[in-house]
Amino acid sequence: MSTPALRPQPVERPPSPGVSEQGDGGGGVLAILERIGSVVVPVGVGLYAVLYLGIEQIYWVFGINPQQAGIDQSVLLGRLMGTLILLVLVLVPAVGAAVGLGWLLDKVTRGAAGRLLAAVRARPWTVAVLAALWCGATYWGLFNLVTDLTVGFMVVVAVGLGVLAFVVPFRLMRRRPVGRAGMKVLVCALTGLGLGFVLILSMIEAAIEVRDTGQANDLLGYVGFQDQWAVLKNAETDKPLYGGRWMMLLGESDGTYVLYDCDKQETFRRPIETTNLAHLQLDPERVEGYRCGSMID
């Protein structure tokens, strides 16, 4: 009897990393969302942590701290809620567009972009050096907040700091999956802090502009600063105080209003019980070229 020919059995290949057995849906999408969340959350937390320092710097320009203007943690959280919502509304389409652009680039290059990224990620020293240089660059805002630096000197400081402080630890962290995850969180957190310090610089410049011109820009409104002005009146006689000049209301605390006199460029306090606020106005329009300090000798 002739022996029947044996048919070769198909060999099952394991699924490629990052691709689910259900094609593009299921685990693949969840993996992408998980990676996006692991990046966005540390950046957002670091950025929010620095925002309070920025609020302190705004009121420091007027010679007070947020607590003296009645701005505590609960009030700050309420004011920054709009900022956080705005950040989410901006980040969601930005991240989606970046993912779509990466997918399109990979399709246009017929997978070459994906293979190049995989090749770079497969080289621990290359990843460690790139991440270290990026982390060094995130200190740009902090250094400029403390002292003025030229661009060339800042590049030298960023490169030196990245090489000395981050390259070797990042290379050691790349050896284990837990270390790689920790490295990602650290890089994203430093990115958020770096963006926060850059934002603080912009907030300080905007606050100085308010102090000098009496006109706030949109940035201060986005971070919860209220550009509110009023004419003060005596609570008993209802007569205008200080010649009926406009004063900026910085806040209220311990039964007093904290006010800024643009004409004299000084911050002062006045009891609430003896003061009425009249003709309240938000974000007043100023004539072009207007400057504060017209009554300074």
Side-chain angles (χ1 to χ4, degrees):
M1 298 178 62
S2 60
T3 304
L6 297 177
R7 296 181 180 180
Q9 299 295 326
V11 179
E12 296 185 359
R13 297 181 180 180
S16 301
V19 179
S20 67
E21 296 179 0
Q22 298 176 354
D24 294 336
V29 175
L30 294 178
I32 293 176
L33 293 177
E34 182 181 356
R35 292 180 180 180
I36 293 174
S38 65
V39 173
V40 173
V41 172
V43 172
V45 172
L47 183 58
Y48 177 77
V50 179
L51 276 178
Y52 185 75
L53 299 177
I55 297 296
E56 285 187 333
Q57 294 299 317
I58 290 177
Y59 286 95
W60 174 81
V61 171
F62 295 97
I64 60 174
N65 58 48
Q67 289 75 22
Q68 292 173 325
I71 310 297
D72 55 15
Q73 288 288 349
S74 59
V75 175
L76 180 63
L77 179 61
R79 291 191 177 185
L80 289 180
M81 191 58 65
T83 306
L84 298 177
I85 293 174
L86 181 63
L87 286 175
V88 171
L89 293 177
V90 172
L91 286 176
V92 168
V95 172
V99 173
L101 182 61
W103 175 86
L104 179 62
L105 181 63
D106 187 61
K107 292 298 182 181
V108 170
T109 58
R110 297 182 178 181
R115 291 191 295 271
L116 177 62
L117 180 61
V120 172
R121 294 179 62 184
R123 291 172 171 78
W125 278 110
T126 302
V127 176
V129 170
L130 293 177
L133 293 178
W134 177 258
C135 289
T138 60
Y139 281 79
W140 179 87
L142 176 60
F143 288 145
N144 276 272
L145 187 64
V146 176
T147 182
D148 293 331
L149 298 176
T150 61
V151 177
F153 187 71
M154 185 59 226
V155 171
V156 174
V157 172
V159 173
L161 179 64
V163 172
L164 294 177
F166 295 108
V167 171
V168 174
F170 282 171
R171 174 61 185 89
L172 296 177
M173 294 173 70
R174 294 291 298 178
R175 293 181 176 180
R176 296 177 178 272
V178 175
R180 290 194 291 270
M183 172 183 164
K184 182 188 297 184
V185 172
L186 179 60
V187 171
C188 294
L190 287 178
T191 301
L193 293 175
L195 292 175
F197 282 113
V198 173
L199 181 60
I200 287 178
L201 292 173
S202 302
M203 293 165 66
I204 293 175
E205 294 177 357
I208 293 175
E209 183 180 354
V210 175
R211 184 193 64 186
D212 295 340
T213 66
Q215 183 70 55
N217 59 18
D218 294 335
L219 175 62
L220 292 182
Y222 293 149
V223 297
F225 181 81
Q226 295 181 350
D227 183 25
Q228 187 173 55
W229 296 73
V231 175
L232 306 184
K233 290 186 177 183
N234 189 296
E236 297 180 355
T237 63
D238 202 35
K239 292 183 178 180
L241 300 171
Y242 309 103
R245 294 183 285 109
W246 288 90
M247 304 291 176
M248 184 169 67
L249 180 62
L250 294 174
E252 55 182 86
S253 177
D254 299 329
T256 60
Y257 289 123
V258 182
L259 304 151
Y260 174 69
D261 188 342
C262 176
D263 297 308
K264 293 186 177 181
Q265 285 191 307
E266 64 180 15
T267 303
F268 65 98
R269 301 166 68 97
R270 185 172 177 85
I272 294 177
E273 59 184 12
T274 62
T275 307
N276 288 337
L277 302 179
H279 311 295
L280 294 173
Q281 187 176 6
L282 282 173
D283 301 323
E285 292 292 336
R286 304 287 184 180
V287 296
E288 186 177 356
Y290 178 83
R291 303 288 296 181
C292 293
S294 60
M295 299 184 66
I296 296 178
D297 296 332

